[in-house]
Amino acid sequence: MNALLPGEPLDEKARPMTVASGPPPAVEVLSAEKVFANGTRGLAPIDLAIADGEFLTLIGPSGCGKSTLLKLIANLIEPSDGRLLWWRGDFADVGQEGRRLAFVFQEPTLMPWARVEGNVRLPLELADMPRAKADPLVRDAIARVGLSAFSRHFPRQLSGGMKMRVSIARALVTSPNLLLMDEPFGALDEFTRNKLDDDLVRLWWERKLTTVFVTHSIYEAVFLSTRIIVMAANPGRIFRTMTIDQGQPRDQAFRDSPRFAAYCRELSTWLAEASLPSAAGAAS
Ligand SMILES: Nc1ncnc2c1ncn2[C@@H]1O[C@H](COP(=O)(O)OP(=O)(O)OP(=O)(O)O)[C@@H](O)[C@H]1O
Ligand SMILES: [Mg+2]
């Protein structure tokens, strides 16, 4: 491997799967694989531990199983074989000790007839939380994404980036411990995406929010992540892992730094390798 950052422990294939002491990993994927009903092998067996507080990004060619892995982590689908643990327990235990998941999709999927505040309040209403308790949480979540002045607006009165902010506020309002995002900013222009990335990295840092993020953008992956997993297709699997050893704050100065450029170059090379037919065809 062409090491652009000498001494960096970029390839973490040998990383231990579980941590014996300290806080439990948020999620452990234990030889989990996914074969769909039509016989498509979406994911080869995957082993992965997601540390508490980590910002983990999945990147790779289309069809390499990023969304499938994210849906397994969200328990939206079940593995065909292997298993997953959430904070060392079953998914049925999620919700205990205040451990919650939130999922943000690529489309903001807002209710058109409800105002911003109504959309953000929805998960709390579904949980039967009384209005008096919910309202301050809704106000706080809307303020965190910078939309306080728009809380009485309807979705049709918002830009694409603002709608995405509402979607993020709706995820944050439940105070999740695990935030799962599938290409949330993929449809936005680069300027808006950078702005939302800035906000997301701040929210992640403030809340120590374990995040699993899917993107096709090399720059976004390097800017946001503490660890990046490059996946390859046919079958979907982990190709390589990169640690982004950069503390806070992550801001424009980081984007402009030679270090950022070096990470992006390395990741770009890895993605090209992961997209080669030979990489895609090889069994994991
Ligand atoms: N419900 C399904 N039934 C059958 N095959 C599926 C299903 N969902 C996904 N697949 C297949 O599994 C593989 C992985 O799909 P997945 O959506 O996870 O890829 P992805 O990495 O998210 O791609 P993209 O970058 O295009 O979003 C693909 O070959 C896809 O066609
Ligand atoms: Mg996908």
Side-chain angles (χ1 to χ4, degrees):
M1 185 49 43
N2 183 19
L4 291 168
L5 299 164
E8 291 290 335
L10 291 180
D11 195 335
E12 291 205 327
K13 269 185 175 167
R15 186 185 173 101
M17 229 170 54
T18 52
V19 186
S21 59
V27 182
E28 287 160 282
V29 182
L30 305 168
S31 302
E33 67 178 301
K34 185 67 187 175
V35 180
F36 290 102
N38 65 0
T40 304
R41 199 164 173 228
L43 279 181
I46 296 237
D47 283 303
L48 171 68
I50 302 169
D52 210 32
E54 183 167 17
F55 196 117
L56 180 73
T57 292
L58 310 177
I59 195 167
S62 187
C64 70
K66 302 178 296 293
S67 296
T68 303
L69 180 55
L70 201 68
K71 284 180 204 159
L72 282 173
I73 293 168
N75 198 43
L76 291 172
I77 57 174
E78 292 196 342
S80 332
D81 208 351
R83 64 191 291 230
L84 287 92
L85 296 176
W86 290 264
W87 295 282
R88 296 241 161 91
D90 292 328
F91 193 80
D93 300 328
V94 172
Q96 290 178 16
E97 300 177 42
R99 284 167 170 166
R100 279 176 290 266
L101 264 69
F103 203 107
V104 176
F105 297 91
Q106 182 167 3
E107 295 297 322
T109 59
L110 304 179
M111 300 181 297
W113 61 88
R115 297 176 196 274
V116 165
E117 57 190 13
N119 271 286
V120 174
R121 192 185 299 113
L122 178 70
L124 304 181
E125 273 176 5
L126 292 174
D128 286 329
M129 185 182 284
R131 270 299 273 273
K133 192 172 168 198
D135 280 348
L137 300 179
V138 171
R139 271 197 299 278
D140 178 62
I142 292 173
R144 277 177 187 277
V145 297
L147 283 183
S148 296
F150 298 88
S151 59
R152 302 281 297 157
H153 282 53
F154 288 98
R156 64 175 179 276
Q157 299 171 302
L158 304 177
S159 69
M162 289 159 94
K163 285 182 202 161
M164 210 59 231
R165 286 174 194 275
V166 178
S167 173
I168 294 171
R170 185 179 53 192
L172 292 177
V173 79
T174 58
S175 295
N177 309 82
L178 181 58
L179 181 62
L180 308 174
M181 307 178 94
D182 196 351
E183 298 194 55
F185 310 144
L188 303 176
D189 65 86
E190 200 172 337
F191 180 79
T192 308
R193 178 191 280 227
N194 280 355
K195 182 78 185 67
L196 286 168
D197 285 345
D198 289 341
D199 293 344
L200 179 62
V201 87
R202 180 178 46 79
L203 288 167
W204 162 74
W205 184 248
E206 278 172 12
R207 294 206 168 188
K208 305 283 180 285
L209 183 60
T210 310
T211 306
V212 187
F213 189 89
V214 173
T215 185
H216 281 282
S217 163
I218 290 170
Y219 305 113
E220 185 169 52
V222 170
F223 181 72
L224 292 172
S225 315
T226 53
R227 191 160 56 121
I228 300 171
I229 289 185
V230 180
M231 295 178 69
N234 299 318
R237 66 192 192 283
I238 295 176
F239 180 69
R240 225 167 261 159
T241 303
M242 176 183 283
T243 299
I244 306 295
D245 190 10
Q246 169 76 26
Q248 298 296 325
R250 289 197 180 183
D251 50 19
Q252 195 55 38
F254 176 44
R255 279 197 188 96
D256 295 338
S257 68
R259 191 178 172 73
F260 183 81
Y263 276 128
C264 290
R265 272 200 303 277
E266 182 86 352
L267 185 58
S268 166
T269 306
W270 287 12
L271 266 174
E273 288 173 12
S275 306
L276 289 173
S278 56
S284 91

